Amino acid sequence: MENPAIKKQDMRNYLFYGFIVLLFSNCSITKAKYNALNDYFETIEKDTSKEVYIAREKINSNYTIEIFKLNEFQSFDSKGNITTDTKLFKEKDFKKLKDENPDPPIEDERIWTTNKYWNKNYFKHNKIIFESMNKKTGIESIIEKYNKSNICVYSFSEPIYYQNKKYLIFTNFKICIAGGSPFVVIMRKIKGKWIRTHEAFNLYSLKLH
């Protein structure tokens, strides 16, 4: 007859090791997301000694999803050639993307979420200054604070997976005093490094000032 105490201990061991596997899996997924973001950021800000301004608030993931569903994709090959891609968007994969990444609805055109934030632990760049963009004055208050008219602020959404983790996507929005045009970056891991393969745009109505 099986000893109940041994059976109970086996169950505890099973739950413990299951928890450890889940923990390491989640850590691996999180690391991949921010590796992708940093691999991209290194291509647009190569000088690591330069001060860079980044919005403290993460852009709402619903904003990323709204741009993505418009199916306006440009594809980049290894030589930098740009073509239109009509095959990346698949309804089944998009539905999964949307269902797995819920964020509160965007209100009053405030695309920056108020309860998710970036900090220096997410970035490899040496000199990052975090400022809030979730205010009516936006970039203007930051320019006034530092008395510099040439300040631009990067904003990013949380990287999210698409097509069973084949791609990572996130919004990049660089805004200066003259305005800015947000777009979605699509990255794929190639030979151990995350590479931008596509960008998605709203060509008609997403230019913000």
Side-chain angles (χ1 to χ4, degrees):
M1 183 175 179
E2 187 175 5
N3 190 324
I6 295 176
K7 187 175 181 180
K8 189 173 183 180
Q9 183 62 42
D10 287 343
M11 179 58 68
R12 287 176 178 172
N13 291 339
Y14 174 80
L15 292 173
F16 173 77
Y17 288 115
F19 171 76
I20 295 297
V21 170
L22 181 62
L23 179 63
F24 277 99
S25 176
N26 288 338
C27 288
S28 177
I29 290 171
T30 300
K31 184 178 180 181
K33 286 184 176 184
Y34 303 126
N35 282 344
L37 180 61
N38 279 283
D39 285 348
Y40 173 72
F41 196 62
E42 287 172 0
T43 68
I44 58 176
E45 287 292 347
K46 296 180 175 64
D47 185 357
T48 58
S49 65
K50 175 186 174 183
E51 287 187 342
V52 176
Y53 295 83
I54 293 181
R56 180 178 294 114
E57 303 89 358
K58 295 181 180 182
I59 292 177
N60 193 308
S61 290
N62 288 319
Y63 193 65
T64 302
I65 291 168
E66 286 299 310
I67 297 177
F68 194 86
K69 79 175 183 180
L70 295 173
N71 196 10
E72 295 283 351
F73 297 106
Q74 290 182 340
S75 174
F76 301 84
D77 66 17
S78 59
K79 297 180 181 179
N81 298 316
I82 303 173
T83 55
T84 299
D85 190 323
T86 58
K87 297 180 179 179
L88 182 67
F89 185 91
K90 294 179 172 58
E91 192 65 44
K92 181 180 178 181
D93 293 317
F94 174 74
K95 185 178 185 303
K96 184 177 180 181
L97 168 78
K98 188 174 182 180
D99 291 344
E100 290 180 351
N101 297 281
D103 255 350
I106 297 172
E107 297 181 359
D108 301 324
E109 298 183 356
R110 295 287 184 90
I111 65 171
W112 291 273
T113 54
T114 57
N115 61 348
K116 296 181 181 179
Y117 303 93
W118 297 112
N119 60 53
K120 291 183 178 180
N121 294 327
Y122 292 105
F123 294 92
K124 297 177 182 178
H125 194 88
N126 293 332
K127 294 186 177 180
I128 292 178
I129 300 171
F130 292 95
E131 291 290 343
S132 175
M133 284 293 290
N134 196 26
K135 55 180 70 172
K136 289 182 179 180
T137 52
I139 186 73
E140 295 174 7
S141 62
I142 298 172
I143 288 173
E144 183 177 343
K145 177 179 177 179
Y146 293 97
N147 195 26
K148 294 180 181 179
S149 60
N150 63 341
I151 285 177
C152 295
V153 178
Y154 288 103
S155 297
F156 299 103
S157 65
E158 178 78 10
I160 53 181
Y161 281 109
Y162 178 65
Q163 285 192 13
N164 294 320
K165 298 184 173 62
K166 182 178 180 180
Y167 297 98
L168 271 170
I169 72 173
F170 54 88
T171 298
N172 173 26
F173 184 10
K174 181 183 179 182
I175 187 167
C176 308
I177 190 63
S181 297
F183 57 93
V184 170
V185 180
I186 297 99
M187 304 193 75
R188 184 177 179 182
K189 199 169 188 178
I190 301 173
K191 295 182 179 179
K193 191 174 181 67
W194 287 94
I195 305 295
R196 177 198 61 169
T197 58
H198 300 76
E199 289 179 356
F201 298 86
N202 180 343
L203 301 178
Y204 306 102
S205 62
L206 285 178
K207 187 176 177 69
L208 303 182
H209 298 276

